[in-house]
mmCIF file of all heavy atoms in Angstrom:
data_model
loop_
_atom_site.group_PDB
_atom_site.id
_atom_site.type_symbol
_atom_site.label_atom_id
_atom_site.label_comp_id
_atom_site.label_asym_id
_atom_site.label_seq_id
_atom_site.Cartn_x
_atom_site.Cartn_y
_atom_site.Cartn_z
ATOM 1 N N ALA A 29 14.116 185.574 152.015
ATOM 2 C CA ALA A 29 14.225 184.894 153.305
ATOM 3 C C ALA A 29 12.850 184.626 153.901
ATOM 4 O O ALA A 29 12.590 183.535 154.417
ATOM 5 C CB ALA A 29 15.065 185.734 154.271
ATOM 6 N N VAL A 32 11.070 181.809 151.669
ATOM 7 C CA VAL A 32 11.591 180.460 151.899
ATOM 8 C C VAL A 32 11.231 179.984 153.299
ATOM 9 O O VAL A 32 10.914 178.814 153.504
ATOM 10 C CB VAL A 32 13.120 180.420 151.662
ATOM 11 C CG1 VAL A 32 13.709 179.077 152.058
ATOM 12 C CG2 VAL A 32 13.435 180.702 150.204
ATOM 13 N N GLY A 33 11.244 180.886 154.270
ATOM 14 C CA GLY A 33 10.842 180.502 155.625
ATOM 15 C C GLY A 33 9.401 180.032 155.682
ATOM 16 O O GLY A 33 9.081 179.026 156.327
ATOM 17 N N LEU A 34 8.521 180.742 154.983
ATOM 18 C CA LEU A 34 7.115 180.325 154.946
ATOM 19 C C LEU A 34 6.948 179.009 154.195
ATOM 20 O O LEU A 34 6.160 178.148 154.603
ATOM 21 C CB LEU A 34 6.261 181.415 154.308
ATOM 22 C CG LEU A 34 6.083 182.689 155.138
ATOM 23 C CD1 LEU A 34 5.364 183.756 154.331
ATOM 24 C CD2 LEU A 34 5.365 182.389 156.425
ATOM 25 N N ALA A 35 7.700 178.836 153.112
ATOM 26 C CA ALA A 35 7.619 177.582 152.359
ATOM 27 C C ALA A 35 8.156 176.415 153.186
ATOM 28 O O ALA A 35 7.573 175.323 153.187
ATOM 29 C CB ALA A 35 8.403 177.708 151.055
ATOM 30 N N ARG A 36 9.235 176.625 153.908
ATOM 31 C CA ARG A 36 9.790 175.561 154.755
ATOM 32 C C ARG A 36 8.834 175.231 155.896
ATOM 33 O O ARG A 36 8.705 174.074 156.285
ATOM 34 C CB ARG A 36 11.145 175.965 155.329
ATOM 35 C CG ARG A 36 12.247 176.101 154.334
ATOM 36 C CD ARG A 36 12.638 174.806 153.710
ATOM 37 N NE ARG A 36 13.297 173.978 154.700
ATOM 38 C CZ ARG A 36 13.428 172.667 154.587
ATOM 39 N NH1 ARG A 36 12.953 172.057 153.546
ATOM 40 N NH2 ARG A 36 14.031 171.974 155.511
ATOM 41 N N LEU A 37 8.163 176.235 156.429
ATOM 42 C CA LEU A 37 7.201 175.995 157.490
ATOM 43 C C LEU A 37 6.020 175.181 156.964
ATOM 44 O O LEU A 37 5.548 174.259 157.638
ATOM 45 C CB LEU A 37 6.726 177.317 158.080
ATOM 46 C CG LEU A 37 5.836 177.238 159.309
ATOM 47 C CD1 LEU A 37 6.592 176.609 160.469
ATOM 48 C CD2 LEU A 37 5.354 178.620 159.685
ATOM 49 N N ALA A 38 5.566 175.496 155.767
ATOM 50 C CA ALA A 38 4.437 174.766 155.187
ATOM 51 C C ALA A 38 4.815 173.318 154.875
ATOM 52 O O ALA A 38 4.020 172.403 155.086
ATOM 53 C CB ALA A 38 3.962 175.470 153.922
ATOM 54 N N THR A 39 6.008 173.083 154.395
ATOM 55 C CA THR A 39 6.411 171.713 154.068
ATOM 56 C C THR A 39 6.827 170.943 155.315
ATOM 57 O O THR A 39 6.718 169.726 155.339
ATOM 58 C CB THR A 39 7.573 171.702 153.054
ATOM 59 O OG1 THR A 39 8.675 172.431 153.599
ATOM 60 C CG2 THR A 39 7.137 172.307 151.743
ATOM 61 N N ARG A 40 7.274 171.624 156.332
ATOM 62 C CA ARG A 40 7.697 170.927 157.549
ATOM 63 C C ARG A 40 6.508 170.357 158.309
ATOM 64 O O ARG A 40 6.623 169.363 159.002
ATOM 65 C CB ARG A 40 8.483 171.874 158.440
ATOM 66 C CG ARG A 40 9.160 171.171 159.585
ATOM 67 C CD ARG A 40 10.065 172.108 160.298
ATOM 68 N NE ARG A 40 10.667 171.414 161.415
ATOM 69 C CZ ARG A 40 11.875 171.644 161.852
ATOM 70 N NH1 ARG A 40 12.604 172.535 161.261
ATOM 71 N NH2 ARG A 40 12.358 170.984 162.863
ATOM 72 N N ARG A 41 5.370 170.962 158.181
ATOM 73 C CA ARG A 41 4.189 170.463 158.883
ATOM 74 C C ARG A 41 3.788 169.078 158.385
ATOM 75 O O ARG A 41 3.211 168.302 159.107
ATOM 76 C CB ARG A 41 3.027 171.415 158.686
ATOM 77 C CG ARG A 41 3.172 172.679 159.471
ATOM 78 C CD ARG A 41 1.946 173.535 159.306
ATOM 79 N NE ARG A 41 2.131 174.789 160.013
ATOM 80 C CZ ARG A 41 1.388 175.831 159.849
ATOM 81 N NH1 ARG A 41 0.382 175.798 159.001
ATOM 82 N NH2 ARG A 41 1.613 176.936 160.511
ATOM 83 N N LEU A 49 14.897 165.352 159.168
ATOM 84 C CA LEU A 49 14.647 166.675 158.617
ATOM 85 C C LEU A 49 15.711 166.992 157.576
ATOM 86 O O LEU A 49 16.879 166.659 157.739
ATOM 87 C CB LEU A 49 14.667 167.722 159.723
ATOM 88 C CG LEU A 49 13.611 167.555 160.797
ATOM 89 C CD1 LEU A 49 13.781 168.616 161.864
ATOM 90 C CD2 LEU A 49 12.233 167.637 160.188
ATOM 91 N N GLY A 51 17.532 169.958 155.034
ATOM 92 C CA GLY A 51 17.758 171.375 154.788
ATOM 93 C C GLY A 51 17.708 172.225 156.047
ATOM 94 O O GLY A 51 17.790 171.741 157.169
ATOM 95 N N LEU A 52 17.578 173.510 155.831
ATOM 96 C CA LEU A 52 17.550 174.475 156.930
ATOM 97 C C LEU A 52 16.160 174.530 157.545
ATOM 98 O O LEU A 52 15.156 174.384 156.863
ATOM 99 C CB LEU A 52 17.937 175.853 156.414
ATOM 100 C CG LEU A 52 19.357 175.963 155.838
ATOM 101 C CD1 LEU A 52 19.532 177.309 155.179
ATOM 102 C CD2 LEU A 52 20.381 175.765 156.909
ATOM 103 N N ASP A 53 16.102 174.766 158.831
ATOM 104 C CA ASP A 53 14.804 174.852 159.494
ATOM 105 C C ASP A 53 14.183 176.237 159.269
ATOM 106 O O ASP A 53 14.873 177.192 158.936
ATOM 107 C CB ASP A 53 14.941 174.535 160.978
ATOM 108 C CG ASP A 53 15.893 175.462 161.696
ATOM 109 O OD1 ASP A 53 16.632 176.187 161.010
ATOM 110 O OD2 ASP A 53 15.907 175.467 162.925
ATOM 111 N N PRO A 54 12.879 176.343 159.441
ATOM 112 C CA PRO A 54 12.209 177.634 159.207
ATOM 113 C C PRO A 54 12.686 178.742 160.143
ATOM 114 O O PRO A 54 12.676 179.915 159.774
ATOM 115 C CB PRO A 54 10.735 177.330 159.448
ATOM 116 C CG PRO A 54 10.597 175.868 159.308
ATOM 117 C CD PRO A 54 11.907 175.276 159.693
ATOM 118 N N ALA A 55 13.112 178.393 161.347
ATOM 119 C CA ALA A 55 13.555 179.423 162.294
ATOM 120 C C ALA A 55 14.770 180.178 161.767
ATOM 121 O O ALA A 55 14.910 181.382 161.997
ATOM 122 C CB ALA A 55 13.869 178.791 163.649
ATOM 123 N N THR A 56 15.642 179.491 161.052
ATOM 124 C CA THR A 56 16.812 180.151 160.476
ATOM 125 C C THR A 56 16.380 181.206 159.472
ATOM 126 O O THR A 56 16.893 182.321 159.457
ATOM 127 C CB THR A 56 17.721 179.107 159.801
ATOM 128 O OG1 THR A 56 18.064 178.111 160.756
ATOM 129 C CG2 THR A 56 18.973 179.748 159.269
ATOM 130 N N TRP A 57 15.424 180.832 158.647
ATOM 131 C CA TRP A 57 14.945 181.773 157.637
ATOM 132 C C TRP A 57 14.193 182.934 158.280
ATOM 133 O O TRP A 57 14.283 184.073 157.817
ATOM 134 C CB TRP A 57 14.073 181.060 156.614
ATOM 135 C CG TRP A 57 14.875 180.169 155.731
ATOM 136 C CD1 TRP A 57 14.931 178.815 155.778
ATOM 137 C CD2 TRP A 57 15.765 180.577 154.697
ATOM 138 N NE1 TRP A 57 15.796 178.349 154.820
ATOM 139 C CE2 TRP A 57 16.322 179.412 154.144
ATOM 140 C CE3 TRP A 57 16.149 181.798 154.176
ATOM 141 C CZ2 TRP A 57 17.239 179.446 153.107
ATOM 142 C CZ3 TRP A 57 17.064 181.837 153.134
ATOM 143 C CH2 TRP A 57 17.595 180.673 152.614
ATOM 144 N N PHE A 58 13.461 182.668 159.346
ATOM 145 C CA PHE A 58 12.742 183.750 160.002
ATOM 146 C C PHE A 58 13.693 184.691 160.745
ATOM 147 O O PHE A 58 13.414 185.881 160.861
ATOM 148 C CB PHE A 58 11.667 183.210 160.931
ATOM 149 C CG PHE A 58 10.473 182.691 160.190
ATOM 150 C CD1 PHE A 58 10.021 181.413 160.411
ATOM 151 C CD2 PHE A 58 9.818 183.473 159.269
ATOM 152 C CE1 PHE A 58 8.932 180.926 159.722
ATOM 153 C CE2 PHE A 58 8.730 183.003 158.572
ATOM 154 C CZ PHE A 58 8.281 181.721 158.790
ATOM 155 N N LEU A 59 14.810 184.178 161.223
ATOM 156 C CA LEU A 59 15.823 185.062 161.809
ATOM 157 C C LEU A 59 16.396 185.990 160.745
ATOM 158 O O LEU A 59 16.617 187.178 160.996
ATOM 159 C CB LEU A 59 16.928 184.248 162.477
ATOM 160 C CG LEU A 59 16.589 183.642 163.828
ATOM 161 C CD1 LEU A 59 17.691 182.699 164.279
ATOM 162 C CD2 LEU A 59 16.374 184.734 164.851
ATOM 163 N N LEU A 60 16.647 185.445 159.561
ATOM 164 C CA LEU A 60 17.121 186.299 158.470
ATOM 165 C C LEU A 60 16.059 187.323 158.075
ATOM 166 O O LEU A 60 16.374 188.484 157.805
ATOM 167 C CB LEU A 60 17.494 185.443 157.258
ATOM 168 C CG LEU A 60 18.896 184.871 157.249
ATOM 169 C CD1 LEU A 60 19.081 183.953 156.062
ATOM 170 C CD2 LEU A 60 19.929 185.964 157.232
ATOM 171 N N ARG A 113 22.720 179.056 163.513
ATOM 172 C CA ARG A 113 21.775 177.974 163.201
ATOM 173 C C ARG A 113 21.996 177.436 161.803
ATOM 174 O O ARG A 113 21.874 176.243 161.566
ATOM 175 C CB ARG A 113 20.338 178.469 163.345
ATOM 176 C CG ARG A 113 19.922 178.706 164.760
ATOM 177 C CD ARG A 113 18.481 179.143 164.811
ATOM 178 N NE ARG A 113 17.583 178.071 164.414
ATOM 179 C CZ ARG A 113 16.991 177.248 165.258
ATOM 180 N NH1 ARG A 113 17.213 177.379 166.545
ATOM 181 N NH2 ARG A 113 16.190 176.314 164.826
ATOM 182 N N ASN A 117 22.929 173.657 160.660
ATOM 183 C CA ASN A 117 21.984 172.897 159.851
ATOM 184 C C ASN A 117 22.466 172.626 158.434
ATOM 185 O O ASN A 117 21.820 171.871 157.715
ATOM 186 C CB ASN A 117 20.643 173.632 159.771
ATOM 187 C CG ASN A 117 19.937 173.657 161.105
ATOM 188 O OD1 ASN A 117 20.138 172.781 161.932
ATOM 189 N ND2 ASN A 117 19.122 174.662 161.323
ATOM 190 N N ARG A 120 23.001 168.963 157.265
ATOM 191 C CA ARG A 120 21.887 168.098 156.885
ATOM 192 C C ARG A 120 21.792 168.020 155.365
ATOM 193 O O ARG A 120 22.072 168.990 154.675
ATOM 194 C CB ARG A 120 20.571 168.667 157.394
ATOM 195 C CG ARG A 120 20.431 168.694 158.868
ATOM 196 C CD ARG A 120 19.081 169.264 159.199
ATOM 197 N NE ARG A 120 18.907 169.420 160.618
ATOM 198 C CZ ARG A 120 17.937 170.104 161.166
ATOM 199 N NH1 ARG A 120 17.052 170.710 160.404
ATOM 200 N NH2 ARG A 120 17.839 170.204 162.467
ATOM 201 N N GLU A 126 18.789 175.862 148.302
ATOM 202 C CA GLU A 126 18.510 176.475 149.598
ATOM 203 C C GLU A 126 19.805 176.885 150.288
ATOM 204 O O GLU A 126 19.893 177.962 150.876
ATOM 205 C CB GLU A 126 17.733 175.499 150.474
ATOM 206 C CG GLU A 126 17.268 176.125 151.761
ATOM 207 C CD GLU A 126 16.477 175.160 152.617
ATOM 208 O OE1 GLU A 126 16.614 173.934 152.465
ATOM 209 O OE2 GLU A 126 15.723 175.657 153.463
#
Side-chain angles (χ1 to χ4, degrees):
V32 173
L34 290 173
R36 293 293 290 160
L37 187 63
T39 58
R40 190 172 178 147
R41 287 184 183 166
L49 298 177
L52 298 171
D53 59 347
T56 304
W57 289 105
F58 285 126
L59 283 172
L60 275 175
R113 289 182 68 95
N117 292 333
R120 294 181 184 167
E126 187 179 22

